[in-house]
Amino acid sequence: MAEQVQEKEVTQQELNSLLQVRRDKLADLQAKGEDPFQITKFDVTHHSQEIKDGYEALQGAKVSIAGRMMSKRVMGKASFCNIQDLQGRIQVYVARDSINTETEDNYTDFKKTYDIGDILGITGEVFTTKTGEISIHAEKVTLLTKSLQILPEKYHGLTNTDTRYRQRYIDLIMNQDSKEVFIKRSKVISSIRKYLDGEGFMEVETPMLVSNAGGAAARPFETHYNALDEDVKLRISLELYLKRLIVGGLERVYEIGRVFRNEGVDTRHNPEFTLMELYQAYTDYNGMMDLTENMFRYVAMEVCGTTTVPYGEHMIDLGKPFERLTMIDAVKKYAGVDFDEIADTEAAKAIAKEKHVAFEDRHTKGDILNLFFEEFVEENLIQPTFIMDHPVEISPLTKRKPDKPDYVERFELFITGREMCNAYSELNDPIDQRARFAAQEEQFAAGDEEANHTDEDFLCALEYGMPPTGGIGYGIDRLVMLLTNAPSIRDVLLFPTLKSVDK
């Protein structure tokens, strides 16, 4: 009878007994000279879905598959089991008379020694059972790995979320939907590379350990470099090094890599996450908007086969032109406050008090505009929307608007109420950039731990001359969440950050 163990219904003593049985079975196999851990390879010719999709051509053909046994039904001289591989599951028919060509032990071992969770190699012919199920008639069954743990029985995708995140390997075994998420994640990244490579971009790599973690408003992780006896930080952004490459004449560059921010953990944030940044010389933030629309549609078609994707209760349409709103117009639309009519910081603080928007003494009019946006606008931006022209106070690396110098040529893309990317017409004036860094240093001194610090080498690079440039950063994890309808960033990270179990 197939082993059936309910996680919460088995006492520790019973579990220990079952685990010991598995070890005893392994010991018996080893005593007979049949140690599965001595097997070094198995030649796989097909996967489960390939066989099902190509049944007409494969009917009667000999194939070899390998995977984990997920169920077993023994019926005297014949048995059935289901083997799960990368692509899914396929039924295997194991008959005593068919696999006893060398020794009678093979079928006996299959019945009595092989357990659910064991990894098997199956060689046999493709056929269809009387019930119409495409299967493999086994000629040889090889135990490739003995599982010494017990899988949850009919776990429906492993519903205990903490176990899913901490022991992702169990989740991937038991939950096909979870496996599909991470297969899609890989496709998202490969399709981004394919798109950008086709647009003439070059993929590069920049340092993770840096002396000055700039390019974003975030607290860095700090560590010590023993060999140099220097304190260093883990990067929070890819920006400043990629811009150095634009200065050096590499006109289109991008990087996909991990960045690290010492901040909170929630459904949208993980301290380490995957960021993609790209920079293109001789274009501006309008060019970045066009590139973003085209790339999102391309990736959606490559990964999902459609530009209309479900997310929660919404259907997100990536096929139609994305809405474009300035931050001022968005706040006017959703909060009823026109910041073009607000004269200065004092007037902005007065309207913030009236609307019950919390602010700090150090905040200026531009900061308060952004607070209004976060309070009243973000949650309403379900369909793809570019929010443009941010206040200069919150955009230290961005080119000012020539006709409105208190604002900058910047946009953020919002979908499902979440920021999906952040882009600028990059500031290439080294004198203005030095002044912006100085203002950031003042904010840091006033208590803003996320403010940028002056990067002298980056300023030196700008003094050599950076052409007009458009740049953008994409949160890859949030894009994967969108395209897989995942409610939490932990669902799209193979190994998310979790508090230690002994804390």
Side-chain angles (χ1 to χ4, degrees):
M1 181 178 178
E3 193 175 64
Q4 294 185 339
V5 182
Q6 294 286 354
E7 182 188 43
K8 295 182 180 179
E9 295 179 2
V10 177
T11 67
Q12 189 61 49
Q13 183 177 359
E14 290 171 328
L15 180 60
N16 291 340
S17 176
L18 291 169
L19 293 175
Q20 186 58 50
V21 167
R22 291 194 172 216
R23 282 159 176 76
D24 292 342
K25 290 179 180 180
L26 174 63
D28 290 342
L29 289 169
Q30 292 170 330
K32 294 192 300 181
E34 299 175 10
D35 186 353
F37 297 119
Q38 296 298 314
I39 296 175
T40 58
K41 63 175 294 187
F42 182 83
D43 292 327
V44 175
T45 63
H46 294 78
H47 284 82
S48 56
Q49 195 60 43
E50 287 179 85
I51 294 171
K52 293 175 181 179
D53 292 342
Y55 176 71
E56 289 187 8
L58 290 172
Q59 183 180 12
K62 183 177 292 188
V63 297
S64 291
I65 67 164
R68 193 177 298 274
M69 183 163 62
M70 301 302 293
S71 66
K72 182 172 72 169
R73 185 158 50 97
V74 177
M75 302 179 297
K77 298 179 181 180
S79 303
F80 287 93
C81 68
N82 270 287
I83 299 297
Q84 176 174 286
D85 60 17
L86 175 66
Q87 296 180 353
R89 297 185 184 186
I90 191 166
Q91 180 173 262
V92 177
Y93 174 63
V94 184
R96 186 189 65 182
D97 294 339
S98 298
I99 65 169
N100 274 350
T101 54
E102 298 177 6
T103 171
E104 293 187 4
D105 286 346
N106 195 200
Y107 186 69
T108 302
D109 284 342
F110 175 80
K111 286 201 307 179
K112 297 183 177 180
T113 308
Y114 300 174
D115 294 306
I116 292 172
D118 288 352
I119 297 175
L120 306 181
I122 306 291
T123 298
E125 289 188 0
V126 178
F127 79 111
T128 303
T129 65
K130 294 179 180 179
T131 59
E133 183 170 355
I134 296 172
S135 307
I136 299 173
H137 190 159
E139 296 177 3
K140 186 174 183 181
V141 179
T142 305
L143 178 63
L144 302 175
T145 301
K146 184 65 183 165
S147 175
L148 301 180
Q149 288 285 347
I150 298 170
L151 292 178
E153 191 271 329
K154 296 182 180 178
Y155 218 65
H156 303 295
L158 193 62
T159 54
N160 184 309
T161 55
D162 190 66
T163 302
R164 286 182 57 217
Y165 300 148
R166 292 187 188 279
Q167 296 177 288
R168 181 67 80 184
Y169 43 90
I170 301 178
D171 182 37
L172 293 173
I173 293 169
M174 302 305 300
N175 186 349
Q176 185 64 28
D177 290 341
S178 183
K179 184 184 291 184
E180 289 298 326
V181 165
F182 294 105
I183 291 172
K184 278 191 174 182
R185 181 188 177 97
S186 179
K187 289 180 179 178
V188 167
I189 294 173
S190 64
S191 62
I192 288 172
R193 285 193 168 103
K194 184 177 178 182
Y195 178 81
L196 292 178
D197 292 347
E199 293 293 314
F201 283 83
M202 174 170 43
E203 186 173 10
V204 298
E205 294 176 305
T206 61
M208 288 190 181
L209 290 173
V210 296
S211 58
N212 186 349
R219 291 177 60 187
F221 288 92
E222 299 180 1
T223 187
H224 186 76
Y225 197 163
N226 291 331
L228 300 179
D229 193 25
E230 289 183 0
D231 290 333
V232 292
K233 302 175 178 66
L234 289 170
R235 66 185 181 187
I236 60 173
S237 170
L238 314 174
E239 180 167 348
L240 300 185
Y241 281 95
L242 291 176
K243 285 182 179 178
R244 287 169 167 88
L245 300 181
I246 296 292
V247 171
L250 303 181
E251 295 182 359
R252 299 187 182 203
V253 295
Y254 75 96
E255 180 175 7
I256 300 173
R258 287 289 212 190
V259 296
F260 309 87
R261 298 183 181 179
N262 197 352
E263 53 191 23
V265 179
D266 58 32
T267 58
R268 302 186 188 187
H269 299 90
N270 195 71
E272 57 175 308
F273 62 97
T274 303
L275 185 65
M276 191 271 280
E277 291 195 30
L278 64 84
Y279 293 85
Q280 178 180 340
Y282 311 113
T283 191
D284 62 2
Y285 76 144
N286 291 300
M288 293 293 97
M289 277 188 261
D290 293 340
L291 183 148
T292 298
E293 282 200 48
N294 292 334
M295 190 179 77
F296 269 54
R297 292 188 189 112
Y298 176 86
V299 172
M301 284 299 301
E302 287 285 302
V303 175
C304 303
T306 178
T307 56
T308 303
V309 296
Y311 193 83
E313 61 185 20
H314 303 286
M315 291 298 297
I316 305 302
D317 189 350
L318 300 171
K320 68 180 182 182
F322 295 3
E323 185 177 5
R324 302 186 181 194
L325 285 173
T326 66
M327 183 175 281
I328 285 179
D329 286 343
V331 169
K332 184 178 179 180
K333 177 178 179 179
Y334 291 103
V337 177
D338 186 353
F339 270 74
D340 275 336
E341 302 297 322
I342 295 176
D344 52 27
T345 294
E346 291 307 311
K349 288 182 176 179
I351 194 67
K353 290 178 181 177
E354 179 184 324
K355 296 290 187 178
H356 307 291
V357 175
F359 61 89
E360 299 177 25
D361 288 341
R362 63 181 175 82
H363 284 150
T364 63
K365 174 185 170 181
D367 294 311
I368 293 171
L369 168 60
N370 187 54
L371 292 173
F372 266 76
F373 174 78
E374 293 175 349
E375 180 73 22
F376 295 105
V377 181
E378 278 192 15
E379 65 183 10
N380 296 295
L381 304 178
I382 304 302
Q383 295 300 325
T385 306
F386 290 121
I387 297 297
M388 308 179 297
D389 303 349
H390 296 52
V392 68
E393 292 92 331
I394 63 169
S395 310
L397 299 164
T398 314
K399 200 170 258 191
R400 295 177 191 263
K401 292 181 67 66
D403 59 340
K404 207 171 185 180
D406 288 340
Y407 298 86
V408 297
E409 294 189 350
R410 173 184 174 187
F411 74 80
E412 294 173 291
L413 173 63
F414 284 84
I415 306 176
T416 68
R418 299 171 179 174
E419 177 199 339
M420 304 298 290
C421 66
N422 186 22
Y424 318 145
S425 296
E426 302 298 333
L427 179 61
N428 63 342
D429 178 347
I431 298 171
D432 189 0
Q433 183 63 80
R434 182 173 291 278
R436 305 270 194 101
F437 276 143
Q440 287 283 298
E441 295 283 9
E442 290 177 4
Q443 290 184 28
F444 182 80
D448 184 358
E449 296 181 344
E450 296 184 347
N452 281 215
H453 293 284
T454 303
D455 188 326
E456 289 293 347
D457 184 71
F458 176 64
L459 289 171
C460 179
L462 289 186
E463 288 176 354
Y464 276 95
M466 185 175 82
T469 297
I472 190 164
Y474 300 89
I476 297 298
D477 307 303
R478 291 188 182 180
L479 177 55
V480 176
M481 288 171 65
L482 174 67
L483 297 182
T484 60
N485 198 6
S488 171
I489 192 172
R490 292 181 176 182
D491 295 321
V492 300
L493 296 173
L494 280 167
F495 302 102
T497 300
L498 299 168
K499 190 174 183 178
S500 299
V501 291
D502 57 351
K503 293 294 185 182

